[in-house]
Each structure stands twice: as C-alpha cells, then as structure tokens.
Amino acid sequence: MPSINVVDMKGKKVGTVDLSDAIFAIEPNEAVMHQMVVSYLANQRQGTQSALTRAEVSGGGKKPWRQKGTGRARQGSTRAPQWTHGGVVFAPKPRDYSFSVNKKVKRLALKSALSAKTAESELIVVDAIALDEYKTKAVVEMLAAIGADKKALIVLPEVDKKVIKSASNIKGVKTAQVNELNVYDILNADKLVIVKDAVSKIEEVYA
C-alpha cells in the first residue's frame, strides 16, 4: 500500500495518507489507456464539417463543349471536381465519430492512469483547498507552493464554486470532481492535485 505525503496550501507537510493498492498501485495497462484517450477525443468531435459534392454544387447543367472534334479533353460539366468551383470528391458530411467503451475497460483505464501518476511521483495530495473569496492569485500561489505550477488537474471531492471559478482562467489548469474524472485529463496534466477527502471518495467509487 503506497503512502504519500499530504501538504497544505503553502506546500508544508501536514501528514501522510495510505493509498489503495487496487487503484493507485496496479500495473498500468497502456492499451486500455490509449483506447480511452482515443474514445474521449473522438467523442469531443462535433462532426459538423460538410462540403458539396458535384451533385450539390449549383450550376454545371450544360455540357461545356461538344464531345468530339475540339481537341480538348471531353467534359460533361463545369462542376466536376477538376474544375474551379467544382464539387469536392468524397466530400465530408456530418457524422457521429463517438464510440463507447465498456465499463470494465473504463475502470481499468482510470486505475491505470492514477497508478501511472503515483508511480511517476506526479500525484500531490492537498489537505484542503479553502478560499474565502473568488481569487485566482490564491490558486496560483498554492500551485506554485506545491510544485504544480504548469499543467495541473485539481480533483475536488465536491463542487466548490470559489475554487472552480478561481482556477478557471489559469492556463493549463483544470478542475474536476471525483465523478467527472477521465483518463485524458489525468494523463494530459503534469501534476495531479487531489484534495485528501477526494482520495477516499475515489477509493470508494472505483474500488
């Protein structure tokens, strides 16, 4: 059972916490993590791109010149793809790129991502994040103090509007609750900052 230091908002050690082997100390499965990242990115695609085929472009109803005798290549329409203002070959059309991943794979991928962060010493447990007011500077100072001043994912045990709003306009910083965790955000962050109360919730939900 891995043990990790717990720090306060100023970066001072205030204790330790034991992490569950079943969630934070498994052998990371790269294949399922990759599958979840691909699924997440595919699900973000709007799929609204669209272009006109030669059948949909306006004009081109008349054959530009007769079939034979001109010396030029035969042409049936000025809206064929090789013409300027012509249609697009295999034009993209609105479609749904999303695909689902089964529950067991999702759980394994999330556990793998958390275990990978723990193994690489990129997991930071904070005793509590308490803000008296909406203050971005306070979150910036906290992240600098705990060594997470680059790309960071802050995991909260529950919705805290002051923390979420204060962190929302810091470049590279995201916040999430336990039930919103996804593999892409975990792996994309340089540091995973988890509030101590959120650790027990993660172990309760994903054990």
Side-chain angles (χ1 to χ4, degrees):
M1 183 176 286
S3 182
I4 189 169
N5 292 334
V6 179
V7 298
D8 61 14
M9 291 180 66
K10 294 183 179 179
K12 294 180 181 178
K13 180 182 173 182
V14 293
T16 59
V17 62
D18 292 326
L19 303 176
S20 169
D21 286 339
I23 297 174
F24 294 95
I26 70 168
E27 182 68 31
N29 188 320
E30 292 186 9
V32 296
M33 287 194 290
H34 176 263
Q35 187 178 352
M36 280 304 302
V37 169
V38 171
S39 172
Y40 176 84
L41 293 175
N43 294 349
Q44 302 306 302
R45 295 184 69 173
Q46 286 186 316
T48 53
Q49 74 276 36
S50 184
L52 302 179
T53 65
R54 63 181 293 169
E56 297 167 320
V57 179
S58 64
K62 180 184 175 184
K63 189 173 173 67
W65 50 77
R66 66 180 189 269
Q67 182 79 345
K68 302 174 73 67
T70 64
R72 288 181 288 186
R74 56 194 177 191
Q75 301 291 334
S77 169
T78 56
R79 293 299 179 258
Q82 72 271 20
W83 285 73
T84 303
H85 307 303
V88 177
V89 183
F90 307 127
K93 291 297 177 184
R95 57 170 282 197
D96 182 11
Y97 289 91
S98 65
F99 65 93
S100 60
V101 179
N102 75 54
K103 199 181 227 179
K104 286 186 178 179
V105 172
K106 285 181 181 178
R107 281 179 175 267
L108 179 58
L110 193 69
K111 291 176 183 179
S112 295
L114 291 170
S115 296
K117 286 296 179 187
T118 305
E120 294 166 7
S121 301
E122 294 178 355
L123 175 67
I124 301 169
V125 178
V126 181
D127 185 38
I129 301 177
L131 300 180
D132 296 327
E133 56 183 332
Y134 294 92
K135 197 81 171 177
T136 298
K137 186 179 178 182
V139 178
V140 171
E141 290 174 349
M142 178 199 75
L143 293 173
I146 64 177
D149 50 350
K150 292 182 180 178
K151 289 169 74 175
L153 175 64
I154 302 172
V155 183
L156 305 169
E158 55 193 19
V159 176
D160 186 329
K161 290 184 178 180
K162 288 181 181 177
V163 176
I164 294 169
K165 278 283 189 183
S166 299
S168 64
N169 61 345
I170 304 173
K171 187 178 180 181
V173 176
K174 292 188 74 173
T175 57
Q177 286 79 57
V178 172
N179 60 345
E180 296 177 334
L181 280 177
N182 68 75
V183 174
Y184 176 81
D185 284 341
I186 293 172
L187 296 178
N188 191 44
D190 292 328
K191 297 290 184 181
L192 179 60
V193 182
I194 305 180
V195 176
K196 187 179 178 182
D197 289 344
V199 173
S200 56
K201 281 197 172 186
I202 290 172
E203 292 178 345
E204 181 183 331
V205 173
Y206 298 105

